[in-house]
């Protein structure tokens, strides 16, 4: 592909009050349209445009190409706020961080990608890795790739290729334009419906070699965000979605519990000892997991900013904080569901959104239960037993 096919992009508002107002506007629109997004099973490109105006899609573009890279905590707090309204949209917004992968591309390629502006929405359907035909100057790619979250609103798409001698056996990501591939609408799920994580299908698409990269490969740009552990960040931006979902669920049960009477006309649910204690414990668990999550993020970011070496133990703590956030957040949402009682079983109940979506992040390969063991192994100086960990 060539990047000439990428359309003129929506640009972020100027940093400061205008951009902050754009973010609040996007949140207001999301509150009114989240049911629509879930029913149609994707976040539309015009809403991605609102998030671009809020700066979320230049947050990982290198400064040398006009980006305004955000520190991970600041970016993830934005994702968390989106997720507290609709976790599935939060999941899509989290990929505003994914341009860090592009730092492994040749500088000339990056310059072409950002020529139309730094606000780029990227989505990748990387698995299963497909064997491409090596030809002069690049690859002929065919196959179907699953789980391309946000593909319906992306400017660029990634597909996964098996690695060869040219990549030392490491898998490659090949960049294609949406016009070159088909989106196979197979996203039929109970949770995270609005992520639109459909499959991508290509039929003998040529991809120049300079439009391929190794995910997590050596960056060609030295900026603080390119020094931050890229694979750990990929896990973190997904985990923070669960923290947002948990926040939304707890806010709901707190609001209901503060009501004067229950739906039956009896004592308000909040007056019940189990409700008060359950809400308090869930609040403490959420805040504790969140504190660990952001604390280790800021510790490692400080080292990245100073250009100091980041140890494997610190990378493992980033991964541990992400896994713990996803699992604790899921438990908190289940606790909120329990407090809500029988009414929460109805599909139109507000907690159903958080319940269905919050179950998903901890199922992701980067956040599954086994990553607890892998983090513990690294902290003990042992082999993690999981590829590309930490």
């Amino acid at each position: 592909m060539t990047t000439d096919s990428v359309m003129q992009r929506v640009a972020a508002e100027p940093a400061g009050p205008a951009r902050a107002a754009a973010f609040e506007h996007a949140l207001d629109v999301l509150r009114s349209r989240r049911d629509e997004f879930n029913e149609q099973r994707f976040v539309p490109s015009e809403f991605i445009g609102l998030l671009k105006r809020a700066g979320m899609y230049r947050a990982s573009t290198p400064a040398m190409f006009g980006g305004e890279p955000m520190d991970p905590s600041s970016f993830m707090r934005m994702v968390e706020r989106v997720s507290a309204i609709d976790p599935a949209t939060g999941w899509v917004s989290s990929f505003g961080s994914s341009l860090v992968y592009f730092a492994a591309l040749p500088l000339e390629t990056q310059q072409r990608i950002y020529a139309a502006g730094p606000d780029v929405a990227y989505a990748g359907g990387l698995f299963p890795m497909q064997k491409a035909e090596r030809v002069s100057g690049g690859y002929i790619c065919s196959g179907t790739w699953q789980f391309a979250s946000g593909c319906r609103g992306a400017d660029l798409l990634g597909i996964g290729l098996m690695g060869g001698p040219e990549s030392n056996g490491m898998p490659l990501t090949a960049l294609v334009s949406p016009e070159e591939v088909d989106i196979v609408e197979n996203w039929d799920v109970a949770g995270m419906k609005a992520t639109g994580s459909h499959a991508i299908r290509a039929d003998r698409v040529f991809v120049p070699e300079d439009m391929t990269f190794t995910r997590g490969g050596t960056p060609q740009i030295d900026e603080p965000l390119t020094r931050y552990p890229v694979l750990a960040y990929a896990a973190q931006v997904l985990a923070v979605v669960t923290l947002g979902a948990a926040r939304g669920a707890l806010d709901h049960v707190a609001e209901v519990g503060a009501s004067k009477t229950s739906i039956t006309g009896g004592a308000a649910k909040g007056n019940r000892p189990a409700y008060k204690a359950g809400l308090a414990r869930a609040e403490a668990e959420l805040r504790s997991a969140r504190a660990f999550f952001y604390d280790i993020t800021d510790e490692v970011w400080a080292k990245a900013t100073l250009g100091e070496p980041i140890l494997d133990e610190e990378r493992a703590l980033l991964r541990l904080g992400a896994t713990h956030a996803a699992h604790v957040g899921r438990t908190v949402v289940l606790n909120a569901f329990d407090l809500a009682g029988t009414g929460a079983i109805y599909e139109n109940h507000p907690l159903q959104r958080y319940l269905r979506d919050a179950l998903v992040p901890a199922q992701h390969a980067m956040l599954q239960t086994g990553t607890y063991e892998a983090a513990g192994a690294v902290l003990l100086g042992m082999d993690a037993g999981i590829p590309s960990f930490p």
Side-chain angles (χ1 to χ4, degrees), residues 37-378:
F37 295 172
N38 276 265
E39 288 171 9
Q40 68 188 20
R41 295 178 185 267
F42 67 91
V43 178
S45 58
E46 69 266 19
F47 186 79
I48 298 296
L50 296 183
L51 296 178
K52 286 182 178 181
R53 293 190 184 282
M56 294 193 76
Y57 286 91
R58 64 172 55 191
S60 60
T61 301
M64 69 177 295
F65 296 120
E68 297 175 68
M70 294 178 68
D71 66 275
S73 284
S74 294
F75 177 78
M76 290 190 291
R77 284 188 171 91
M78 293 181 75
V79 175
E80 190 178 9
R81 288 194 63 197
V82 175
S83 302
I85 298 170
D86 183 55
T89 303
W91 185 277
V92 172
S93 76
S94 78
F95 294 108
S97 67
S98 62
L99 301 184
V100 292
Y101 302 139
F102 291 10
L105 287 163
L107 288 176
E108 296 80 4
T109 302
Q110 295 184 56
Q111 189 170 23
R112 292 201 309 271
I113 288 173
Y114 300 120
D119 305 278
V120 179
Y122 166 71
L126 305 182
F127 301 100
M129 297 289 178
Q130 305 286 353
K131 184 175 178 60
E133 179 185 347
R134 192 80 164 89
V135 296
S136 177
Y139 302 86
I140 300 294
C141 304
S142 297
T144 301
W145 294 263
Q146 305 294 330
F147 305 117
S149 300
C151 60
R152 293 286 296 271
D155 300 306
L156 284 172
L157 299 172
I159 54 178
L161 307 181
M162 293 180 183
E166 71 281 2
S167 64
N168 295 318
M170 296 291 289
L172 295 172
T173 298
L175 295 180
V176 298
S177 68
E179 294 80 13
E180 293 177 296
V181 297
D182 296 319
I183 293 175
V184 182
E185 297 195 353
N186 63 346
W187 191 237
D188 186 13
V189 292
M192 292 289 180
K193 292 180 181 180
T195 62
S197 303
H198 299 294
I200 298 172
R201 183 170 55 212
D203 183 14
R204 297 193 60 78
V205 173
F206 174 71
V207 180
E209 186 171 4
D210 66 1
M211 292 296 288
T212 68
F213 62 91
T214 300
R215 194 165 75 134
T218 303
Q220 302 303 302
I221 294 171
D222 183 27
E223 294 184 3
L225 195 56
T226 66
R227 301 176 204 141
Y228 191 83
V230 62
L231 294 181
Y233 196 23
Q236 287 185 292
V237 297
L238 301 181
V240 78
V241 171
T242 323
L243 293 180
R247 179 76 273 150
L250 283 189
D251 285 350
H252 174 78
V253 296
E255 181 181 357
V256 171
S259 299
K260 300 299 182 183
T261 60
S262 72
I263 192 172
T264 62
K269 287 184 178 181
N271 280 328
R272 302 170 189 173
Y275 200 102
K276 289 182 280 191
L279 176 62
R281 289 194 184 98
E283 188 71 43
E285 289 169 2
L286 176 59
R287 287 178 178 267
S288 297
R290 189 175 183 273
F292 171 38
F293 180 86
Y294 283 113
D295 183 60
I296 186 59
T297 298
D298 291 339
E299 282 185 25
V300 175
W301 175 248
K303 297 188 74 172
T305 300
L306 295 172
E308 297 179 357
I310 296 169
L311 307 177
D312 279 350
E313 290 82 356
E314 293 165 325
R315 296 171 188 267
L317 287 172
L318 287 176
R319 296 296 301 270
L320 177 59
T323 294
H324 195 58
H327 286 257
V328 170
R330 177 168 67 176
T331 299
V332 167
V333 173
L334 288 169
N335 289 340
F337 181 74
D338 184 54
L339 292 175
T342 306
I345 69 173
Y346 287 92
E347 286 202 21
N348 63 354
H349 192 280
L351 282 183
Q352 280 292 325
R353 175 190 324 280
Y354 301 114
L355 178 68
R356 291 191 293 258
D357 289 356
L359 294 176
V360 176
Q363 301 294 107
H364 194 279
M366 299 190 83
L367 299 169
Q368 286 177 358
T369 304
T371 54
Y372 273 112
E373 181 182 354
V378 174

